[in-house]
Amino acid sequence: MQTMDSRFRKIQRVMWYVLFLNLAVAFAKIGYGMWTNVLSMQSDGYHSLFDGVSNVIGLIGIQIASKPPDAEHPYGHRKFETIAAVFIAFILGAVAFEIVRSALMRFDNGSIPEVTTISFLVMLGTMIVNYTVTTYEKKKGNELRSEVLLADSAHTRSDIYVSMSVLLGLLAIRAGYPMVDPIISIFVAVVILHAGMEIIFSSVSVLCDESRIDPEEIRGVVCRVEGVMGCHNIRTRGPEGCVYVDLHVEVDPSMPTYKSHTVAHIVQYRLKEAFEGIEEVLVHIEPEDNSYNYK
């Protein structure tokens, strides 16, 4: 089982790789867009720079989240990773707004960018890089159970949609339909905004300590432990891969203290064995009391 410190180091390594690739993609589109005066390609390049900004935010969030628990943060700093994911979502919203604004301006001025063969090659090449990045980042995000990697993967995936809109827009211009370009851009902006909202909803559930595991599933595991008469007040919280569980376990009133502690340790072990991603289990031992109906 990997340590928390090892996990954060792996996430940081992925973020550095992705940052380098995002900057390479951004400068390729901006550079050639300026060289040929292709406004849509320049805009897409600046959009890719937002990926770099989100990578930096992610790296800062991971650096803070990797700090061990202290007196002020006894549960650690893991939620800073979730906060970084929220910032990325807001960046997605800003990108969507900018795309819509640019599309509306295109309707007003009717400007037509210059289209060359190299323009298509640059766009196709950067789309391949972005697809590789988002696939790799999503895979690592699932492996490391990292919200910030999964959020940034969604952000990078939005780049593919944006680049596709630019590519289709260039094809439409070649075919004599330049107004298709801003229409496609608005559609892509909606897709990006949807991705940002999904990240926000997922992150808010963690920040608001939404229940992470079904209490009935936990009860089923705990009540199979020898010596357990019942359990109640089951609560779970935390991000995926770092879930905290606390519950009250009922035992025979005549059970010796040392034996009840053994039961508590077995409960902790069984829960961590049954549910992946549990960081800590706090067990409150109580004598069985049939006069109460606990939930």
Side-chain angles (χ1 to χ4, degrees):
M1 184 177 178
Q2 67 178 345
T3 64
M4 188 66 70
D5 188 53
S6 171
R7 172 185 174 275
F8 283 123
R9 284 201 303 271
K10 289 178 180 178
I11 294 174
Q12 286 179 319
R13 192 179 304 121
V14 173
M15 293 294 292
W16 278 114
Y17 290 155
V18 173
L19 173 60
F20 173 78
L21 291 172
N22 281 334
L23 291 178
V25 165
F27 290 135
K29 287 185 283 193
I30 292 173
Y32 191 75
M34 289 182 172
W35 180 263
T36 58
N37 197 31
V38 180
L39 181 60
S40 59
M41 190 178 294
Q42 292 180 50
S43 300
D44 192 21
Y46 287 119
H47 168 228
S48 295
L49 276 182
F50 276 102
D51 281 346
V53 173
S54 72
N55 294 148
V56 173
I57 291 173
L59 284 167
I60 294 172
I62 289 298
Q63 183 63 36
I64 298 174
S66 64
K67 293 181 179 179
D70 52 36
E72 289 77 23
H73 305 87
Y75 289 99
H77 301 74
R78 177 69 185 270
K79 283 188 177 180
F80 281 98
E81 182 181 347
T82 307
I83 294 173
V86 173
F87 273 111
I88 292 173
F90 279 111
I91 289 176
L92 280 173
V95 170
F97 173 80
E98 183 61 27
I99 291 174
V100 172
R101 190 182 69 84
S102 298
L104 294 177
M105 288 178 61
R106 182 70 58 82
F107 279 123
D108 287 338
N109 57 38
S111 62
I112 300 176
E114 180 186 350
V115 179
T116 67
T117 302
I118 298 179
S119 299
F120 288 104
L121 293 177
V122 170
M123 295 308 302
L124 286 172
T126 55
M127 285 173 66
I128 292 171
V129 172
N130 281 333
Y131 177 78
T132 303
V133 168
T134 190
T135 302
Y136 169 71
E137 199 169 18
K138 184 176 182 180
K139 177 184 176 183
K140 289 299 182 180
N142 287 323
E143 286 180 6
L144 300 171
R145 296 184 178 276
S146 169
E147 300 133 293
V148 72
L149 285 183
L150 292 173
D152 197 60
S153 170
H155 188 179
T156 306
R157 187 165 59 250
S158 74
D159 254 11
I160 298 175
Y161 300 134
V162 174
S163 297
M164 191 179 298
S165 75
V166 174
L167 192 61
L168 292 175
L170 294 177
L171 288 171
I173 294 168
R174 275 281 183 92
Y177 302 100
M179 285 299 101
V180 172
D181 187 20
I183 293 173
I184 293 175
S185 298
I186 292 175
F187 169 75
V188 172
V190 173
V191 174
I192 293 173
L193 190 60
H194 176 71
M197 293 302 295
E198 284 188 332
I199 293 170
I200 289 177
F201 287 139
S202 174
S203 299
V204 166
S205 70
V206 173
L207 295 175
C208 293
D209 290 334
E210 182 178 304
S211 178
R212 311 305 292 178
I213 304 174
D214 185 353
E216 289 305 316
E217 292 184 15
I218 291 178
R219 195 191 313 277
V221 172
V222 173
C223 288
R224 288 196 295 269
V225 175
E226 185 179 354
V228 173
M229 310 297 289
C231 66
H232 56 274
N233 287 1
I234 302 169
R235 298 184 297 179
T236 60
R237 64 181 180 83
E240 186 177 0
C242 189
V243 177
Y244 287 85
V245 182
D246 67 81
L247 71 161
H248 293 227
V249 171
E250 297 174 74
V251 299
D252 191 319
S254 62
M255 180 180 288
T257 303
Y258 77 90
K259 192 170 182 180
S260 66
H261 283 180
T262 300
V263 170
H265 288 305
I266 294 174
V267 167
Q268 292 171 343
Y269 174 78
R270 293 285 175 80
L271 287 175
K272 289 185 177 181
E273 184 182 48
F275 303 100
E276 192 175 356
I278 292 181
E279 177 70 16
E280 183 178 299
V281 179
L282 180 61
V283 180
H284 303 269
I285 295 294
E286 295 180 354
E288 183 189 22
D289 187 349
N290 293 325
S291 64
Y292 294 96
N293 182 23
Y294 294 112
K295 295 183 178 179

